[in-house]
Amino acid sequence: MSDIPASTPQPDSRRPFRLGRAGKLALVGGLLLLMLVPHMMIEAVIEERESYQEQVREGIARSWGPAQSVLGPLLVVPTRAPAQRAAYETGPLRWERGAVAVLPAQLRAEAKLAPERRRRGLFEAVIYEAEVDLTARLAVPVINPEPGTELLWQEAFLVTGASDLRSAAAGARLSMDGRELTSRDVPDAGCVGMDLTRWDLGLEGPPEPGRGLALAGALTLRGTSRFGLLPLARRTELAVAAPWPTPSFTGAGLPVRSDVTASGFTAEWREGTGQPLVRHLGAGWCSQLADDGTQVGVDLLEAVPTYRMVTRASKYAAMFLALAFLTYVLFELMAGVRIHLVQYGLLGLSVVLFPLLLLAFGEPLGFAVAYVISTAAVVGQASAYTAAVTRRAGLAGLFAGVLGGLFGFLYIVLSLEAYALLAGSVALFAALSVVMAVTRRVDWSET
């Protein structure tokens, strides 16, 4: 036998943090900041796909019809006045054209929308057909033009309009006191973003002051996403109904009555603008009227706007990365496992890919289904990797529970738009409290 004593195995004095706990935490923090680079690249992809969606909507709007704003019937009396000229000018007298617009005292519009989704590839837009009934009461007032200005009552006409009248040209109609009027275009109204229809009155001279006109008409329109009415009247009423469960009421005033159900909505506005009924306008009278009237109406929103939800989800990536890294740090501190910085990085990439998966699956399948698939993929991948890194099934199960709980909480936060800030703040406070409780006995000065 040998006299040399057998060497006694020495305990492994290596600690989980070779650089010391503070140094390892600094490296993990730096890696967390580095992970924001691929996150920003993914956010750029989300913005690019959202811009493609907007381009598709604009293309569908150009071929089908844009967001519609309806102009109710009003009376237009053309005017002319001699143009000013220098003393040396000779020749025939030149005339400057203008118009006097008389707004109705009462205007009511009833619109029935038939919306549907129209797809191009993976992108879609909400389009609709609208049947609009218009009624108005207009009293012809005494019009006092400026000195030298002549009222051309023989050319007086009624006018109706909308943002795009391509689909309404054949079906538009208007009657005055029960008499059907003949329509034609208004080529010289100086209007941008509004198509007008002219209804000639055939007057031989100025009508009797105070004469009331009962007007009734209808339009058939095609539009995209939004419908509205310009409230150019002393008192305006608008009633809209559509089988669409997610409307957003917009404009100068909210509806006085609305009913929104899973099968559709009805809404009614009553606007008393108190604006003057007689407007003295220049040659571009249409644009002056359209700019002066703030419309009321409705936007037909998506039930779950995929791109907006994906964008909101991606904004929580930094928080998810921090909590995932923090869980790994706690595993090192409390369970004594050793995790390399590269393994932190691979875990971070798995979490960062979540918004990209959500976007890729959300375009063809919708947000809810995409969220389930993306969550299952990331939680499954990250948990399996954690099991391989730590070689402890319990820690892998705990990590899967933490990450799955985070994704479940995020879905709830995304669904609670009004209380998202409150819920997120409370959750962060609770997470910080848990970390403080778990690490209360850790000696952070130990190296």
Side-chain angles (χ1 to χ4, degrees), residues 74-77 140 153-158 174 176 179 181-182 198-204 207 211 213 215:
L74 51 89
L75 175 63
V76 176
V77 183
V140 180
W153 283 102
Q154 294 84 354
E155 301 178 16
F157 57 90
L158 296 169
L174 184 67
M176 181 182 71
R179 177 172 62 92
L181 302 177
T182 303
R198 171 173 174 163
W199 309 85
D200 289 322
L201 297 178
L203 299 178
E204 297 180 356
R211 176 187 172 185
L213 304 179
L215 309 176

Side-chain angles (χ1 to χ4, degrees), residues 325-345:
F325 282 4
L326 181 60
T327 304
Y328 266 25
V329 169
L330 292 178
F331 286 171
E332 293 202 63
L333 287 174
M334 311 306 298
V337 298
R338 293 179 57 190
I339 303 176
H340 195 274
L341 196 64
V342 173
Q343 294 168 325
Y344 275 91

Side-chain angles (χ1 to χ4, degrees), residues 203-225:
L203 299 178
E204 297 180 356
E208 180 183 354
R211 176 187 172 185
L213 304 179
L215 309 176
L219 294 172
T220 301
L221 302 173
R222 297 192 311 192
T224 302
S225 300

Side-chain angles (χ1 to χ4, degrees), residues 141-154:
V142 176
I143 301 176
N144 298 313
E146 296 181 0
T149 300
E150 180 183 356
L151 297 174
L152 305 177
W153 283 102
Q154 294 84 354

